[in-house]
Amino acid sequence: MNPYVEKWLDRHTEDLSLWRRHIHANPELARQEYATTEFVAKHLRAAGLEPKVLPRGTGLICDLGPTGGPRIALRADMDALPMQEATGLPFESTVPGVSHVCGHDAHTTVVLGAGLALASMPELPIGVRLVFQPAEEVMPGGALDVVAAGGLDGVARIFALHCDPRLEAGKVGMRVGAITSAADTVELVLDSPGGHTSRPHLTGDLVYGLGAVITGLPGMLSRRIDPRTGTVMVWGAVSAGKAPNAIPRTGMLAGTVRTGDHDTWQLLEPMVREIVHGLLAPTGVSYELNYRRGVPPVVNDEVSARMFEDAIRATGPDALADTPQSGGGEDFSWYLEHVPGAMGRLGVWPGVGPELDIHQPTFDLDERALAVGVRVMTNLVLGAA
């Protein structure tokens, strides 16, 4: 462990909790993170750094260390979810219907702490860029805002941590390859002349068409795509009709299709359109298909993942943990379309009691994980030269 980092943590571990709790109590939705941006910028300026707010007014980047050479980027996301918190914590969200049950308060605190710890050192082996990103929770994601603003210019690699409530605090998960999945949305609106259920042959049976797509699209995708890619199609919403003896005129389906394979992600939209057309063409039901691409999978390249593993091991002999690929999406993947990098899983479970999942009203985390995250992020920089 680096003595400068440990000295900084001795002085500021309590501050990490205070910062996280302040952000937690004052959540802001995507692209509304004005106060959070100013909170982070204020602390960076106090350390003599010069943060630059992104053009939209939320999110910022901040460089430190040597200039002129490649930089290591450390990324945190800042936005909260449109969800009512139900933790009852003393620092529970003060904003009705908005909360940091996503863990982004911890992500922001960890990168802020890592940046300030690195700024306390007399010199760094490589340049560093802190990336505090807005709007991770909306598609296609605020990472694209950062890229468009030149946030990756001069960056050689980028790293991030994401809270994992299934890992105990003190452990950090890492894997080579896909660690999250691409996540696209499929919305299908069907139209038919409608009719009486006694005479389906005289109209397009819209409900029958819905049923054909509900079962047929996921089934055909499972036969057209290599199962090793982790591709899955699941419907989340369906509606049509009210009367049992009337064939409805309109109906709707909505769901998601996810994959852990980048090449498969490129093929999904045309394949979905082809299959839907084939399923509905014989029914006489017309339709409109809205396919919205979300984010690519986060694919940790091997070099970056090995750097991450070394940084984790340096925090303790038992800190490194395996982690499975998640079916969730993460817009950190957009950065990896431009530069290599990796995302790790920061354990936040206290080790006793239930594992409180993210994106749930009761989510909370063990704040001992904050110092672990700072150590890992600073180790990544100090070991990168």
Side-chain angles (χ1 to χ4, degrees):
M1 296 185 184
N2 184 277
Y4 288 99
V5 175
E6 293 307 309
K7 183 178 180 180
W8 188 90
L9 284 170
D10 286 342
R11 294 178 176 177
H12 297 287
T13 294
E14 185 176 347
D15 290 333
L16 293 175
S17 292
L18 292 174
W19 298 340
R20 179 252 166 170
R21 294 180 182 193
H22 172 84
I23 296 169
H24 188 94
N26 299 278
E28 296 174 296
L29 293 174
R31 298 195 172 93
Q32 299 175 28
E33 311 94 335
Y34 297 102
T36 309
T37 298
E38 179 53 31
F39 179 83
V40 171
K42 177 185 70 174
H43 285 284
L44 294 173
R45 292 189 200 106
L49 301 174
E50 299 179 358
K52 298 177 181 178
V53 177
L54 297 180
R56 289 192 179 199
T58 64
L60 59 89
I61 61 174
C62 185
D63 289 349
L64 59 152
T67 60
R71 292 187 176 276
I72 296 293
L74 307 178
R75 175 268 202 171
D77 37 13
M78 306 173 76
D79 57 322
L81 280 167
M83 183 177 291
Q84 184 68 39
E85 183 175 347
T87 61
L89 293 167
F91 50 91
E92 189 176 55
S93 171
T94 60
V95 183
V98 181
S99 62
H100 269 296
V101 293
C102 47
H104 293 186
D105 52 343
H107 303 169
T108 299
T109 299
V110 164
V111 173
L112 176 59
L116 295 177
L118 291 167
S120 73
M121 300 180 66
E123 61 179 357
L124 296 176
I126 192 170
V128 179
R129 176 163 298 156
L130 310 176
V131 176
F132 294 90
Q133 177 207 304
E136 190 277 331
E137 293 292 356
V138 296
M139 295 294 183
L144 294 176
D145 298 358
V146 176
V147 174
L152 291 184
D153 293 353
V155 169
R157 293 185 187 276
I158 186 166
F159 298 96
L161 284 168
H162 195 292
C163 291
D164 188 341
R166 292 175 178 79
L167 276 179
E168 190 170 350
K171 293 188 177 295
V172 182
M174 176 49 50
R175 64 180 283 122
V176 177
I179 194 169
T180 72
S181 297
D184 296 349
T185 300
V186 179
E187 292 181 350
L188 188 66
V189 178
L190 285 75
D191 290 287
S192 161
H196 199 286
T197 56
S198 67
R199 296 180 287 275
H201 59 292
L202 299 180
T203 186
D205 190 342
L206 185 139
V207 173
Y208 185 88
L210 279 171
V213 177
I214 287 172
T215 59
L217 180 55
M220 287 301 299
L221 286 174
S222 74
R223 295 301 182 269
R224 295 278 299 275
I225 294 174
D226 190 330
R228 293 172 295 182
T229 63
T231 303
V232 60
M233 166 86 206
V234 177
W235 298 110
V238 56
S239 63
K242 292 182 179 179
N245 60 347
I247 295 172
R249 300 179 67 180
T250 62
M252 182 276 294
L253 278 173
T256 60
V257 57
R258 302 171 185 270
T259 184
D261 182 76
H262 196 284
D263 291 340
T264 299
W265 183 59
Q266 303 286 357
L267 300 173
L268 279 174
E269 181 175 359
M271 189 177 295
V272 166
R273 291 188 180 279
E274 176 194 343
I275 294 171
V276 168
H277 177 76
L279 291 168
L280 290 177
T283 69
V285 175
S286 60
Y287 69 92
E288 180 180 344
L289 174 61
N290 182 12
Y291 190 104
R292 292 201 300 268
R293 298 187 81 203
V295 294
V298 173
V299 182
N300 293 339
D301 80 280
E302 184 166 4
V303 172
S304 299
R306 300 307 179 203
M307 292 171 64
F308 228 129
E309 290 174 349
D310 291 342
I312 296 166
R313 288 193 189 96
T315 69
D318 300 318
L320 179 63
D322 292 330
T323 187
Q325 180 186 343
S326 166
E330 231 290 353
D331 81 343
F332 182 75
S333 54
W334 289 122
Y335 299 118
L336 304 186
E337 298 285 292
H338 301 273
V339 297
M343 169 174 280
R345 300 287 189 192
L346 179 65
V348 297
W349 177 50
V352 293
E355 298 172 355
L356 302 172
D357 206 0
I358 58 173
H359 289 221
Q360 296 299 310
T362 56
F363 173 70
D364 189 25
L365 56 87
D366 187 333
E367 289 180 335
R368 292 177 297 175
L370 301 174
V372 175
V374 169
R375 289 187 177 99
V376 171
M377 288 302 220
T378 53
N379 287 344
L380 277 165
V381 172
L382 300 176

